[in-house]
Amino acid sequence: MCGIIGYTGDDERAVLDVLLDGLSGLEYRGYDSAGLAISNASLSVYKREGELSNLEAVLPEGLDGFAGVGHTRWSTHGPPSDENAHPHTDCQGRVAVVHNGIVENYAPLRAELEARGHTFESETDTEVVPHLIEEHLADGADPERAFRRTVERLEGSYAVAAVFSGRETVYATRQASPLVLGVGDDGHYLASDAPAFIEYTDRVIYLEDGQFATITPSDVTVTDERGQPADVTVRRLEWEPEDAGKSGYDHYMVKEIHEQPTAIRRCLGGRARELDGSVTIDELTDLETPSSVQFVACGTSYHASLYGARLLRERGISAQSFLASEYDADALPIDEETLVVGVTQSGETADTLSALRSANRAGATTLAVTNVVASSAARACDHTTYIRAGPEIGVAATKTFASQQVALAMVASVLAGEFPRSFVEGLRDVPDDVQSILDTSRARSIAEQYEDADAYFFIGRGYNRPVALEGALKMKEITYKHAEGFAAGELKHGPLALVTPQTPVFAVIGADDASEKTLSNVTEVESRGAPVVAVTDSPERVERHADATLEVPDTHPCLTPILANVQLQLVAYHVANRLGRSIDKPRNLAKSVTVE
C-alpha cells in the first residue's frame, strides 16, 4: 500500500534525486499524498496531498543533505491532507519518521504523550512514533537506542524508517510489512519494494520481521531485536531497470497485458516438458500428494485460486478456495496431510499472510505461489513456487493473473500426477495463443460500442466462472463502472432482474460439456434485450446468439480461461482509456495491500 524510500550516500547532492526517483518508482502501489525529509544541518521536511507533482512544486532549489526518507501514503488514519502526509516529526523537529502499516495501540500512546505535553499535528497513528523517539532522546538515549526503545512500544504491523537532524544515518525496522535494503557502490538504500531503487543497484537484502537496519554511506548493518548481528544474504534481482518502464506504451497496464506471452514463457520454462508430456517443479519434488488442499487468497489471486482448486477436484483431490480475510483454520479439518496454498502476487498481502500463519499453527503444510523472491509469504511457507512474471507496475493485475493461472495448472499437475499429454501440449502453446489474441483482438471496437453502458455483467461456468469474476473486477477497478461476475446458472436466481438493454453481458463459452447450458443462459438475457458479447473458441456455435464475439484459439478446455481472460483485460482497458480514467493508479486502490 504505502511506499517508503530511504537513502544515504557519498554525494549529498544526490539525496533529493534518489528520493524523488524512488517515490516515482513507488507510485504504482497507489497513494494519495507524498512527502520527504532530508537531514542536513537541521531537518528539511516537505509533504503534500495529491500526486507527486504537488510535492515537487514546493521543493526549493539546491535542497541537499546527508540522508533522507520519502513516503507515498494510502490513507488509513485520517483523510488525505498535507498534515496527514508523511513524514511526521517530533515537537522539536529533530527526527522525521515514515511508516507503512498500522500502529494498533496508537490511541493510548497518543493520549499518554499528549498528557505529557506533546502537540500533534495530524490524525495519523504514525505520529506517535517521532514523539516517543523524542522522549527517549530527552532521557539521554542516542538515536539508535531511542529508535529501538520506541519500536518496543509499538503493536501491530509496521515498516518504519527514521532520519535525525545533522546525521547521515537512516534507521529502519519491520514487522509484518515489507522492507528491502539496496546495497550500492556509492550509497545504500531502503524501500518497500525494489523498483524504488532498481536503477541504482540490483543487490538487495530482504529484512525479516523483528530485524533492525542501520544504513550509512559506507555500510549496511542488520541486527536482531537484541542488537546482535543478523545472518543476512545479499541477493541479485533478476530484472533490469527498463523492465519497470512503459517502453512506449501509453500505460503500464497495456504494456503488461502485451508482456503476457513473455511472462508465461518464463513461468513455464524448465517445468512443462512437451516431449514426454510431463510437468516438473523443482521446488516441489519433495512435496507428497496431500489429502486435501485449501487455497487462501484475495482479489485477483482468489480468482486464480478458484481455477486451481477446480483443476485439483477434477483429478480427485479435495480442494477449496477461501478468501484469506475469511479463513479460519481452527474451524476447518486440518492435519499434516493438508496443504494450504497462499496465492499472492506480492507475497506481502496481509490477509493472506495471516491465513498462512494460522494454517502453520494448525499443523498444515504450506505452499506460497508468488511473484516476489524472498517475500514474506515465501519465507513463511514450507514450499514456494514462483510465477516468474517479472515486475508489474499497474495496480490492476494482468500478467500476474495469467502467470498465476499457468503456475497453478502446473502445481495441479504435480500434485495430481500427470495430466493428459494434450494438456501439457496446450500449456506450451499458451504464450503463442495469447500473442495471437493480442495481434487480432476486436476488443477496442467492442469497447467503443459499449462504453456508455449502465453496467456490465460477466458470466461463465466451470473453469470459466473465475475468469468471469476476474473480468468484472478488471472493469470495476479501472473504469469505475458497475460490473458483476456470476456463475452463468445463477443469473436466473436473482441477477436477471438487473438485466436491461443497457447492460451488456460478456459470456465466456468454451468447447466443453457446460457450453450448451451457458448458451441457454445467454438466451435468457437475449430475451430481456441485453446485448451479448461471447468470448469463445467456437464462434460458429454462438454467432446466432451473440451480438459480437471475441475469439480465442482452440486449446485444451481447461486452458481456455487463460486465453479468454486476455480478451476481457483488453475490453476493460479500452473502455477505461476512452473514459479517460487513471488506469495505472485507480482511485482508492493500492497494488500491495499490507494491512488487514
Side-chain angles (χ1 to χ4, degrees):
M1 297 177 74
C2 306
I4 288 174
I5 177 68
Y7 171 72
T8 179
D10 295 333
D11 183 0
E12 64 184 52
R13 294 170 298 176
V15 175
L16 179 61
D17 290 340
V18 171
L19 295 182
L20 289 176
D21 287 344
L23 292 176
S24 177
L26 291 168
E27 285 187 290
Y28 73 96
R29 293 170 69 91
Y31 72 108
D32 50 48
S33 57
L36 56 82
I38 293 179
S39 170
N40 36 50
S42 57
L43 200 59
S44 299
V45 179
Y46 298 90
K47 50 187 184 175
R48 282 296 183 271
E49 177 189 352
E51 296 193 354
L52 182 57
S53 58
N54 295 349
L55 171 65
E56 292 174 318
V58 300
L59 296 175
E61 292 286 340
L63 179 61
D64 57 24
F66 312 119
V69 292
H71 190 269
T72 54
R73 179 178 186 250
W74 190 85
S75 300
T76 53
H77 295 73
S81 68
D82 292 352
E83 293 77 17
N84 288 332
H86 296 212
H88 292 289
T89 60
D90 63 319
C91 294
Q92 300 180 50
R94 296 176 59 192
V95 57
V97 170
V98 293
H99 162 238
N100 292 350
I102 293 178
V103 179
E104 294 176 356
N105 62 331
Y106 88 98
L109 289 174
R110 178 165 178 154
E112 172 188 321
L113 288 161
E114 287 178 326
R116 290 201 291 267
H118 290 264
T119 300
F120 284 74
E121 304 293 337
S122 78
E123 302 170 68
T124 70
D125 55 334
T126 302
E127 198 178 354
V128 300
V129 179
H131 289 285
L132 287 170
I133 292 174
E134 178 184 12
E135 291 208 334
H136 294 306
L137 290 173
D139 289 341
D142 62 26
E144 180 176 359
R145 183 59 183 156
F147 182 73
R148 285 179 174 273
R149 290 176 64 183
T150 293
V151 171
E152 291 171 0
R153 299 287 311 275
L154 306 182
E155 298 174 8
S157 64
Y158 49 79
V160 182
V163 290
F164 294 78
S165 62
R167 301 181 71 92
E168 59 182 13
T169 306
V170 181
Y171 302 94
T173 189
R174 62 158 283 176
Q175 181 66 43
S177 189
L179 268 184
V180 58
L181 310 180
V183 181
D185 295 326
D186 301 316
H188 299 99
Y189 311 79
L190 65 85
S192 306
D193 204 355
F197 56 68
I198 187 59
E199 68 177 281
Y200 298 103
T201 183
D202 63 355
R203 292 176 291 160
V204 301
I205 298 170
Y206 291 96
L207 213 60
E208 301 275 1
D209 281 353
Q211 290 182 337
F212 287 76
T214 303
I215 66 171
T216 67
S218 60
D219 197 16
V220 174
T221 303
V222 179
T223 54
D224 61 20
E225 291 163 310
R226 301 183 306 276
Q228 299 300 308
D231 184 17
V232 297
T233 301
V234 179
R235 307 171 186 268
R236 282 196 179 272
L237 296 175
E238 295 181 357
W239 46 281
E240 300 297 327
E242 54 268 24
D243 291 340
K246 290 183 183 177
S247 302
Y249 288 94
D250 290 337
H251 300 93
Y252 284 112
M253 181 180 179
V254 71
K255 170 183 178 267
E256 287 155 3
I257 290 172
H258 281 81
E259 286 176 342
Q260 288 178 122
T262 300
I264 294 169
R265 285 192 184 94
R266 278 199 300 257
C267 185
L268 291 167
R271 293 167 167 174
R273 299 182 174 89
E274 188 176 342
L275 288 178
D276 60 3
S278 67
V279 173
T280 303
I281 299 177
D282 292 341
E283 302 93 333
L284 304 184
T285 53
D286 59 343
L287 179 61
E288 297 182 2
T289 301
S291 61
S292 64
V293 178
Q294 298 171 3
F295 290 89
V296 292
C298 305
T300 288
S301 296
Y302 173 70
H303 299 155
S305 76
L306 289 171
Y307 171 73
R310 189 174 185 93
L311 283 170
L312 288 172
R313 286 197 300 272
E314 291 205 352
R315 267 70 190 177
I317 296 179
S318 174
Q320 297 172 277
S321 293
F322 297 88
L323 289 165
S325 58
E326 295 291 322
Y327 183 73
D328 183 359
D330 295 334
L332 294 167
I334 291 178
D335 57 29
E336 64 275 4
E337 295 184 0
T338 303
L339 177 65
V340 176
V341 182
V343 186
T344 161
Q345 181 276 135
S346 66
E348 305 293 346
T349 308
D351 289 320
T352 305
L353 290 172
S354 177
L356 288 169
R357 293 183 184 112
S358 67
N360 281 330
R361 290 192 297 270
T365 301
T366 51
L367 165 65
V369 178
T370 184
N371 193 39
V372 180
V373 175
S375 59
S376 295
R379 297 196 301 271
C381 288
D382 302 307
H383 305 272
T384 301
T385 293
Y386 292 109
I387 68 172
R388 304 173 180 170
E392 185 175 68
I393 305 302
V395 167
T398 52
K399 68 178 180 179
T400 53
F401 177 64
S403 298
Q404 284 173 338
Q405 289 176 293
V406 170
L408 290 175
M410 291 189 290
V411 169
S413 300
V414 170
L415 296 180
E418 291 186 3
F419 273 45
R421 187 184 184 90
S422 59
F423 178 80
V424 180
E425 290 173 350
L427 268 178
R428 298 290 299 178
D429 289 340
V430 165
D432 290 337
D433 289 341
V434 171
Q435 188 61 57
S436 73
I437 293 171
L438 296 172
D439 292 341
T440 63
S441 176
R442 297 178 55 246
R444 185 192 299 267
S445 65
I446 299 295
E448 293 173 356
Q449 190 172 356
Y450 297 115
E451 66 176 287
D452 294 326
D454 293 339
Y456 304 87
F457 290 164
F458 297 77
I459 63 172
R461 283 179 181 264
Y463 287 107
N464 295 319
R465 174 178 170 253
V467 172
L469 299 178
E470 176 62 14
L473 179 61
K474 282 294 151 288
M475 188 68 80
K476 281 184 274 198
E477 284 179 314
I478 64 170
T479 71
Y480 312 155
K481 303 261 273 187
H482 182 73
E484 292 294 337
F486 304 102
E490 287 300 298
L491 266 179
K492 57 186 175 291
H493 296 291
L496 203 57
L498 301 174
V499 170
T500 75
Q502 295 302 312
T503 54
V505 177
F506 289 80
V508 185
I509 306 172
D512 54 26
D513 294 338
S515 60
E516 289 301 325
K517 291 183 178 180
T518 306
L519 283 172
S520 176
N521 302 132
V522 166
T523 63
E524 294 170 353
V525 300
E526 274 188 303
S527 65
R528 274 77 179 176
V532 174
V533 179
V535 186
T536 182
D537 56 4
S538 307
E540 68 285 348
R541 294 177 60 229
V542 305
E543 58 186 3
R544 67 187 180 91
H545 299 284
D547 297 273
T549 59
L550 290 167
E551 294 185 34
V552 301
D554 183 37
T555 186
H556 191 282
C558 296
L559 302 174
T560 298
I562 301 174
L563 308 182
N565 168 63
V566 179
Q567 291 282 25
L568 297 180
Q569 290 173 344
L570 289 168
V571 171
Y573 171 78
H574 287 301
V575 171
N577 198 29
R578 290 184 63 80
L579 294 173
R581 305 303 195 218
S582 177
I583 291 174
D584 290 328
K585 296 176 284 184
R587 67 187 183 198
N588 303 331
L589 299 181
K591 183 66 175 173
S592 179
V593 183
T594 55
V595 295
E596 293 184 62

